[in-house]
Amino acid sequence: MDWRSWLLIFALSDAHAASRYYAPMSFYPHDATRISRFAATRGAMQAPYGAGAKVGEGDFYIVSGATFKALTAQPQRDGTIALVQSRWTPALAANQIWTVTKEGSGFRLHSKLYDRDVTLGVRLDLEEAASDARQNWSIEADANAVTIAASGTKTGLVVEHHALRDGAFVEASAQAGQWRMYKVENPDTAHDYRTLNASARSTYDNENRRYHLSAYAPDAIEADRLGGFRWTDYHPSGLYVSKGESVVIDVQGLADDGPDGLVVMVGNKNGFFRRQPAGDPQMILATEGRNTFTASRDGLLYFEYVDSGFNERPLTSIDVTVREGGRPVPFYVEGVTTLAAWRAMLQRHADAPLIEMVGARTMFTVARAMYDKAGASDPAALLGYVERIMGYHDELSGLDGASALDMPSPLRVHFVQDTISTHDDLQNAYLYATYYMIGLPLNSAAETLLQPAKSDEWGVWHEMGHMYQQWDWTWPGVTETTVNLYSLHALQRLGTPMPSPLLQVVDPRGRKNRLDLAAQYLAQPSKDFLRDASFPVPSEAVWIRLVMYEQLRRALGDGFYMRLHKYYRLHPLTENEGGDSNEVQTFVLRACIAANLDLTDFFVRWGLPVDARTRATVVDAKLKPPAVDLTRTRI
């Protein structure tokens, strides 16, 4: 199926479906409320009596449950000390250690480094200790997290605007956030990012209901490292649980000296379009030994076992046995399940509502009826094809394993058939990428994807590309443009005869393709890359912009984008470095650094603004312009 066939499918569904297909994400990088949608609400997780967070005295890292970044005392230019969130680094470790002491009915939060206490005022500050109710805080446990509120008030600590970046202020709000408290036994212990390849060290046996699980890094930490969407940080079970069913699970080897641990979920994490409430998983905080609960919904069983890195010691592997409840579904594990065994499972569990296919870095969950309708293909071919595409995306992203920062993500991308979102919600999106998953909302999407793998599945390349985009250079207007760099790279690496979408004839008179429109745009006396209306055919702005990015790839080689991705991972933007105009200038500067060339004239010719400060920085770097005009690069 070539790209024209894809577009025909969309056109048959809706006159605007083709354009929407390339903008299907439910949560955009600049959606300021995205974290609040995914942060667990109070009471959302069930915890056995006596289990969960322990509130006591001592030295702690206090870590946001939404971002896994630590509460940090940060000096400001005006001489005050503000509270912000930040990832752990050796240089900031002392700023992140808080002494918690009991006082009356509450607690004091004391910065050991600055010898001051957290104080509620117009904003949160650090002030010298005083007999002041503004320095008294109520800390209440909620499963494996806590809420920290000013005593006698309904205002608690939360990251301002639910921001993701380092340097975001922590404020007091009626919408209190969840925090995890990690005991500091040795302040010299390193808590650097560690690659936790849990999939390779875990085993799943759904027929005998036994699982050996290693811990993943939390999805939030991986997303922060990669600079984009959250991937899947939970293990599959291959067991389907029905609402009202009693489930008994035994756990061995689980540590009890920190808030990280095992969460049992009925249903996958909710990344469904517009986060439909029906997609919320049931979550149960597990403890060492026997755990019993009643399923509040139907769904597959999953195990979220994560290690934040803030523990004094890395978490060890655990063993999980499901003693009662649930029934096996056809469950394919790449490298373990043979084709003969898979076919036997399909016969043995013919009445199972779902099937699940698990690879090293991807996972598919679809209805059994859909799998059968698609021709009951060999899972090895499907998983191998998708992971091959992921390898190409890793390549363009500079995820070459040269350092821990540049390792391919050990988490999985979960393809899930979406039977929850409504037609109106989806607005005819054919596939969509979002937190934790790639949604397959229409029967045709799942059916097409499950067909024997072809080399021209542009939709898969595109949606997978969203999982790799770095938000620091994805300002509004280019989200659906830069994602296609990964698709074009995959197209080139596969060597498929599929023509590039840039060659598609799109003008109303049927005479010009997208490259022609780009040339027409470049010839205009006035250009504004940031405004759709500036392009000859505004509805084609997504594709005309892509020509600029693709010219850089063709002229400078794939190594250019590899270096650019690496640079952004090494130097992610902080909260005060964000904002659309700043992100544009930062991209121009960093593109020059990655190319080791002065590209400012190239960007100006494309209508991208370059301010005086950016020009001066490039001049100071003594970078030379390209020997040729890159806007004439042929594609």
Side-chain angles (χ1 to χ4, degrees), residues 96-368:
Q96 297 172 337
I97 296 177
W98 301 90
T99 300
V100 178
T101 55
K102 184 73 174 170
E103 182 175 275
S105 60
F107 295 85
R108 280 186 177 270
L109 307 179
H110 180 78
S111 169
K112 296 190 71 173
L113 179 64
Y114 293 106
D115 193 26
R116 298 184 185 183
D117 289 2
V118 177
T119 306
L120 178 65
V122 176
R123 70 174 194 184
L124 287 178
D125 287 304
L126 284 184
E127 297 182 5
E128 293 184 1
S131 300
D132 193 331
R134 297 182 305 129
Q135 295 181 340
N136 193 271
W137 298 88
S138 169
I139 304 178
E140 296 184 12
D142 180 21
N144 58 346
V146 300
T147 55
I148 304 174
S151 295
T153 75
K154 295 183 179 180
T155 58
L157 302 191
V158 67
V159 178
E160 190 175 45
H161 304 309
H162 306 286
L164 298 175
R165 288 173 170 148
D166 283 9
F169 287 110
V170 175
E171 63 178 355
S173 168
Q175 300 295 323
Q178 290 190 316
W179 301 83
R180 296 190 181 194
M181 298 180 66
Y182 296 87
K183 193 72 176 287
V184 179
E185 296 176 4
N186 179 1
D188 295 325
T189 299
H191 300 280
D192 301 282
Y193 168 80
R194 301 191 308 274
T195 302
L196 301 177
N197 191 7
S199 299
R201 297 193 295 270
S202 300
T203 58
Y204 317 125
D205 181 357
N206 73 326
E207 297 291 346
N208 293 304
R209 302 162 172 266
R210 295 181 181 276
Y211 308 89
H212 182 73
L213 307 178
S214 289
Y216 284 114
D219 53 50
I221 290 178
E222 272 295 293
D224 185 61
R225 176 178 73 95
L226 297 177
F229 274 160
R230 300 185 181 205
W231 294 22
T232 295
D233 63 357
Y234 46 83
H235 294 279
S237 75
L239 296 177
Y240 184 85
V241 175
S242 298
K243 182 177 180 179
E245 190 173 6
S246 177
V247 181
V248 179
I249 298 176
D250 288 345
V251 181
Q252 291 182 314
L254 193 62
D256 62 355
D257 57 352
D260 293 346
L262 174 66
V263 175
V264 179
M265 302 190 304
V266 180
N268 55 282
K269 284 190 177 180
N270 190 349
F272 293 106
F273 217 84
R274 306 196 189 285
R275 196 177 184 267
Q276 306 299 329
D280 286 340
Q282 179 186 7
M283 298 183 293
I284 302 94
L285 180 65
T287 60
E288 176 76 4
R290 179 144 296 185
N291 298 263
T292 302
F293 67 92
T294 300
S296 62
R297 54 159 289 175
D298 297 334
L300 288 169
L301 205 62
Y302 295 99
F303 305 113
E304 183 193 53
Y305 183 47
V306 297
D307 184 347
S308 67
F310 281 98
N311 305 289
E312 290 290 317
R313 293 164 292 278
L315 297 186
T316 58
S317 296
I318 61 173
D319 291 294
V320 176
T321 304
V322 180
R323 297 294 184 187
E324 297 178 18
R327 54 181 170 132
V329 303
F331 183 60
Y332 183 93
V333 179
E334 185 180 35
V336 175
T337 311
T338 65
L339 184 57
W342 172 245
R343 289 172 176 166
M345 284 185 203
L346 291 171
Q347 290 184 337
R348 188 164 58 251
H349 307 303
D351 61 343
L354 300 172
I355 64 107
E356 196 152 67
M357 300 172 285
V358 180
R361 301 181 64 206
T362 190
M363 181 161 54
F364 282 79
T365 305
V366 298
R368 171 62 188 270

Side-chain angles (χ1 to χ4, degrees), residues 485 488 502 546-554 635:
L485 283 168
L488 289 174
L502 294 176
L546 180 60
V547 175
M548 182 193 80
Y549 292 98
E550 181 65 358
Q551 283 184 331
L552 290 172
R553 190 176 77 89
R554 293 298 183 97
I635 295 177

Side-chain angles (χ1 to χ4, degrees), residues 549-564:
Y549 292 98
E550 181 65 358
Q551 283 184 331
L552 290 172
R553 190 176 77 89
R554 293 298 183 97
L556 305 175
D558 289 332
F560 167 74
Y561 282 113
M562 295 174 190
R563 293 188 296 274
L564 186 66

Side-chain angles (χ1 to χ4, degrees), residues 399-581:
L399 294 169
D400 54 11
S403 68
L405 198 60
D406 296 323
M407 292 293 293
S409 179
L411 303 188
R412 291 186 173 100
V413 174
H414 194 176
F415 287 79
V416 182
Q417 186 176 349
D418 182 357
T419 59
I420 292 176
S421 304
T422 67
H423 184 273
D424 289 341
D425 289 327
L426 293 165
Q427 298 180 342
N428 295 309
Y430 191 70
L431 299 172
Y432 64 88
T434 180
Y435 273 23
Y436 316 122
M437 57 181 270
I438 291 177
L440 311 175
L442 301 176
N443 288 348
S444 54
E447 183 179 358
T448 300
L449 193 57
L450 291 172
Q451 295 289 345
K454 302 179 178 67
S455 61
D456 54 2
E457 300 279 8
W458 181 276
V460 178
W461 311 341
H462 176 97
E463 299 308 329
M464 190 66 75
H466 279 306
M467 309 304 284
Y468 282 83
Q469 275 181 300
Q470 293 179 312
W471 291 349
D472 281 352
W473 51 288
T474 309
W475 58 86
V478 301
T479 302
E480 294 302 323
T481 294
T482 60
V483 66
N484 288 314
L485 283 168
Y486 306 94
S487 301
L488 289 174
H489 175 68
L491 175 64
Q492 187 177 44
R493 293 287 280 113
L494 285 166
T496 174
M498 171 185 171
S500 168
L502 294 176
L503 299 175
Q504 183 184 0
V505 175
V506 292
D507 80 307
R509 290 174 291 182
R511 297 176 183 174
K512 295 182 179 179
N513 61 32
R514 286 159 172 156
L515 294 179
D516 296 328
L517 293 179
Q520 182 179 339
Y521 167 76
L522 287 169
Q524 293 175 186
S526 176
K527 298 178 287 291
D528 187 345
F529 190 83
L530 304 179
R531 292 181 62 248
D532 289 1
S534 182
F535 294 94
V537 180
S539 62
E540 291 296 322
V542 163
W543 295 100
I544 299 173
R545 289 188 181 106
L546 180 60
V547 175
M548 182 193 80
Y549 292 98
E550 181 65 358
Q551 283 184 331
L552 290 172
R553 190 176 77 89
R554 293 298 183 97
L556 305 175
D558 289 332
F560 167 74
Y561 282 113
M562 295 174 190
R563 293 188 296 274
L564 186 66
H565 281 83
K566 283 174 175 280
Y567 196 91
Y568 270 100
R569 280 195 295 274
L570 189 61
H571 304 287
L573 300 187
T574 60
E575 187 67 9
N576 62 3
E577 293 172 333
D580 300 346
S581 60

